[in-house]
Amino acid sequence: MPHTDLIQAALDAREQSVAPYSKFNVGAALLTAGGEIISGANVESASYGLSCCAERVALFKALTDGHHIFQALAIASPGGAAPCGACRQLIVEYTEDAEILLIDSNAPENPKSTRISKLLPDSFTGEDL
């Protein structure tokens, strides 16, 4: 589970976060099946519902660039927070249970590894339609 480059990409993406209200800067990086790393950071709005999490920014960028198979997702935040419910739903639909690395930006040397199937058991996807 090293993924050193992926972890660094998530930490670097965190530096691009636009979080003037919460000050909770998050970076995410996806490793594609082809070995490319696509990153994103959270972007906040004064109308909080319009904000977008780093995980979704990275996923949307990857999908719209034509990537559809992912090996891993790294998320860097203070405390190593797990994805919110909206992000979990999109992750379960598009990553086929790729490894998820939760990185505490204050202690990045100890990432926690998990899978979306653990974070969102009994999920609902397009296959259920």
Side-chain angles (χ1 to χ4, degrees):
M1 176 210 51
H3 293 299
T4 307
D5 291 342
L6 185 65
I7 291 168
Q8 190 58 55
L11 290 165
D12 291 345
R14 189 174 169 272
E15 298 298 319
Q16 301 305 314
S17 171
V18 181
Y21 307 106
S22 72
K23 310 285 191 253
F24 192 78
N25 300 307
V26 181
L30 274 164
L31 178 61
T32 70
E36 188 173 341
I37 294 175
I38 311 290
S39 61
N42 59 320
V43 178
E44 292 180 348
S45 169
S47 177
Y48 287 117
L50 298 179
S51 299
C52 195
C53 299
E55 301 91 311
R56 284 183 277 160
V57 171
L59 184 59
F60 294 160
K61 283 172 61 178
L63 290 170
T64 58
D65 281 350
H67 302 283
H68 298 282
I69 301 172
F70 306 100
Q71 297 178 40
L73 168 64
I75 306 162
S77 67
C84 74
C87 288
R88 290 179 193 206
Q89 180 61 40
L90 284 161
I91 292 166
V92 79
E93 289 188 52
Y94 293 104
T95 70
E96 294 187 19
D97 211 26
E99 180 180 18
I100 297 175
L101 301 170
L102 303 176
I103 305 151
D104 180 348
S105 56
N106 298 313
E109 64 280 354
N110 296 313
K112 178 182 174 190
S113 177
T114 190
R115 302 244 174 215
I116 195 61
S117 58
K118 287 189 171 196
L119 296 175
L120 189 62
D122 301 320
S123 61
F124 176 84
T125 68
E127 294 175 11
D128 297 308
L129 298 177

